Amino acid sequence: MERTFAIIKPDAVKAGKAGQILARIASAGFTVRAMRLQHLSRREAEGFYAVHAARPFFGELTDFMSSGPCVLLCLEAPGAILKWRDTMGATDPAKAAEGTLRRDFGTSIGNNATHGSDAPETAAFELGYFFRGMEL
Ligand code: CMP
């Protein structure tokens, strides 16, 4: 078993798509180990995406991520990290394969509906950033 960290981003929550995305998470075979609705502050979004601090889109990204509530999730499945990335599809919804969440719910590379950890080290950092041990 493996765990990964996922976010249903503010665009998808605002559009009322969180329920549909959670249903897709369940039908893909993930177990939800922890879940919380949270409106991130700008500082919390900056800390989470610190690895992207030098990117030109950092301001836009952290503005967007603090623009409304997100659903924060710990997902568990065999090979959860890759499996969740496959379920989401490519970062840019226009390039995401048919049947993926970003293709179905994202509208731009920034407003791309979902986030997922890209490696075991990132998953450990991201899960620890948002969830206390007892919650997991
Ligand atoms: P995510 O998987 O959350 O990780 C970093 C995010 O940065 C990514 O999804 C995109 O939403 C966002 N991102 C990547 N490239 C760009 C870009 N060129 N413009 C705006 N946002 C971007």
Side-chain angles (χ1 to χ4, degrees), residues 36-91:
R36 184 167 76 244
L37 185 75
Q38 186 169 333
H39 189 153
L40 305 187
S41 68
R42 177 75 186 247
R43 278 182 68 86
E44 286 165 343
E46 286 171 353
F48 178 70
Y49 280 117
V51 66
H52 295 304
R55 303 281 186 96
F57 57 81
F58 187 64
E60 190 187 321
L61 172 63
T62 53
D63 255 1
F64 164 63
M65 290 302 290
S66 56
S67 68
C70 291
V71 179
L72 310 174
L73 293 150
C74 172
L75 302 181
E76 188 174 84
I81 294 171
L82 247 183
K83 181 181 167 73
W84 175 238
R85 292 183 72 77
D86 287 346
T87 305
M88 290 191 297
T91 304

